Amino acid sequence: MAHTMTGYSLPESPREFGFYMDGDWVAAGGREVFERTSPGHGVPVSRIPRCTQSDLDASVASARLAFEGRHWAGLCGADRAAVLLKTADLIRDRVDEIAHWEVLENGKPISQARSEVLGCVGMFELSAGLARALHGDSYNNSGDGAFGIVTREPIGVVGLITPWNFPFLILCERVPYILASGCSIVAKPSEVTSVTTLLLAEILTRAGLPDGVFNVVTGSGGTVGQQLAEHMDVDMLSFTGSTSVGRLIVSAAGASNFKKLGLELGGKNPQIVFADADLDDAADGVAFGIAFNSGQCCVSGSRLLVERSVADLFAQKVAEKLRSVKIGEPLDESTQAGAITTDEQNRTILSYIARGQEEGARLITGGSALNTPLGQYVEPTVFCDVTMDMAIASEEIFGPVLCVIPFDTIDEAISIANDTVYGLAASVWTKNIDKALTVSRRVRAGRFWINTTLAGGPELPIGGFKQSGWGREAGMQGVEEYTQTKSIHIEIGKRSHWVA
Ligand code: TXE
């Protein structure tokens, strides 16, 4: 192992992984292999098999067998809870290892990766309680001759397609809740960040999850991902990724078996700052909202709508904060923002920065790739004088690029906030409760923050309005999404006959 200055190591050669099916590893064997290079260091770190259609069919069959055999769905909530709690313990024991792989494949800072993994422990703990609390409904108001019961049943075999920006966190915003419902899963992580999904499979088996309930196929989205979306024996698919691939998923579901879909797609999220806000707090929040994870969050606050009377002053405050963000070596404990995860994403961000300049926006900080010997990093960037007809104001950049748009009235702020095809998240910064609540009611977004941003907990459901997606993940709603209801009507006493 080659050691960095930080105590963590870079592998001397990439580590080989198999995929995971029916409670065990399957070696890559003669399959094609994808080699992942660490975006923060430029060295190869992992080798992952490209699964074939028959690997996928076998994984779906394994999930189906486990489901129909009722090995998991048939357990009582308390038994499911025991496995989920054990999983939480095992994740806590392996936090450093999981966080290290997140850094190697994604490029995020180690301290952030560690706190994300610890957050995932809480999701498993909460889901254990939800597995026990899940219940249906009853209708005792149909008269003495009838009784109605509404039960919740797990929907069946769930496909789970996840992206590269939060490989473990996004996975754990879904897996424990899906398992709490009693479903079986076939997961397909992004090809560039597969390792921590595979590690979770191993952990779940060690925690006592029956074989076949959680399987992982690896490979590219266009092949095995598309095949999972088209699969006739998958009952529901949860997809997190780009809006364009979301459209392909909807078509695939319609063209196959009408599987139910959960979709969490792109965002172009407003941060609305009024002149009466605590401007120092707001500047810190806005800087965090755009630089955290190098802006590669579906909920990044990428549009700063700021009251005109303080717009210049406030933009400068944010720019000053962003210039002090520590960017670079993700394995350094003090790093706040790491690498851009993929080469393609790096090119996309730099091309949007060039486009903003061509469109006439005024660059007040950042605007360049960081000059480092290895890896790919982009300076947090702020554009002022942005108008809503510019591409940088309406398209998801998915990088540390903030667009500043001034407003004069609360109605104008709400109208600009809603002037987007997306509706994932929004924040408002003000000390006036009337303004905060009016804006929170009228902005169309699935997550809303008042005097904070990118906050939450495992209890609160997440998901988007408009083209940001369908359905909700996490919280009790995130368990119920993976169930379907059955209405059971019971007649009491002697039937009154239809045929005399
Ligand atoms: O996403 P993709 P990419 C946005 C962000 C980013 C853009 C592209 O704007 O710049 O998407 O990122 C799998 N059938 N978000 O290219 O391609 C793929 O293997 C089935 C927003 O990485 O959507 C991966 O597992 N699956 C976002 C997952 O879909 C397919 C997070 C996401 O990849 C597939 C990431 C197909 N035809 C990017 N093609 C968010 N909402 O958080 C790809 N995949």
Side-chain angles (χ1 to χ4, degrees), residues 77-260:
D79 288 346
R80 287 211 284 268
V83 173
L84 294 167
L85 286 174
K86 181 73 185 162
T87 305
D89 288 344
L90 295 178
I91 292 174
R92 200 184 277 107
D93 291 347
R94 292 174 71 171
V95 59
D96 284 327
E97 177 195 0
I98 298 169
H100 189 203
W101 276 109
E102 290 283 278
V103 173
L104 293 182
E105 291 197 321
N106 167 280
K108 65 180 65 205
I110 184 71
S111 59
Q112 179 193 323
R114 214 184 286 115
S115 74
E116 284 172 17
V117 178
L118 287 171
C120 296
V121 170
M123 292 171 197
F124 274 89
E125 287 170 342
L126 174 69
S127 297
L130 297 177
R132 303 185 70 158
L134 182 65
H135 65 279
D137 206 351
S138 66
Y139 285 82
N140 201 25
N141 60 352
S142 310
D144 280 346
F147 183 49
I149 310 176
V150 182
T151 57
R152 285 193 177 275
E153 297 180 2
I155 200 159
V157 174
V158 175
L160 181 55
I161 298 179
T162 51
W164 44 255
N165 54 340
F166 293 93
F168 199 67
L169 184 77
I170 288 179
L171 182 75
C172 295
E173 284 172 340
R174 287 147 182 79
V175 168
Y177 303 94
I178 301 172
L179 292 179
S181 77
C183 290
S184 302
I185 300 174
V186 177
K188 206 299 284 174
S190 165
E191 52 274 39
V192 296
T193 53
S194 302
V195 169
T196 54
T197 304
L198 291 162
L199 294 182
L200 180 65
E202 185 184 80
I203 287 171
L204 284 165
T205 299
R206 288 196 184 159
L209 188 74
D211 295 349
V213 178
F214 186 76
N215 309 276
V216 182
V217 290
T218 49
S220 81
T223 55
V224 75
Q226 180 75 28
Q227 289 154 5
L228 183 58
E230 289 169 357
H231 209 286
M232 293 299 284
D233 205 23
V234 170
D235 300 297
M236 177 166 174
L237 185 94
S238 165
F239 169 80
T240 307
S242 58
T243 297
S244 56
V245 174
R247 283 184 209 287
L248 297 177
I249 300 285
V250 172
S251 307
S256 55
N257 61 344
F258 284 111
K259 55 181 65 65
K260 181 180 173 183

Side-chain angles (χ1 to χ4, degrees), residues 352-424:
Y352 272 113
I353 292 174
R355 181 113 179 245
Q357 287 165 306
E358 283 155 28
E359 286 177 318
R362 181 164 52 95
L363 184 74
I364 64 162
T365 194
S368 306
L370 234 62
N371 188 12
T372 50
L374 289 173
Q376 53 204 14
Y377 301 85
V378 174
E379 292 175 334
T381 298
V382 179
F383 281 112
C384 287
D385 303 338
V386 175
T387 51
M388 282 307 294
D389 55 345
M390 296 180 184
I392 55 166
S394 61
E395 295 173 17
E396 183 180 51
I397 298 175
F398 221 58
V401 182
L402 182 69
C403 297
V404 184
I405 306 168
F407 67 83
D408 291 299
T409 64
I410 185 168
D411 283 339
E412 192 189 359
I414 292 165
S415 150
I416 301 171
N418 285 332
D419 184 11
T420 167
V421 298
Y422 297 114
L424 206 51

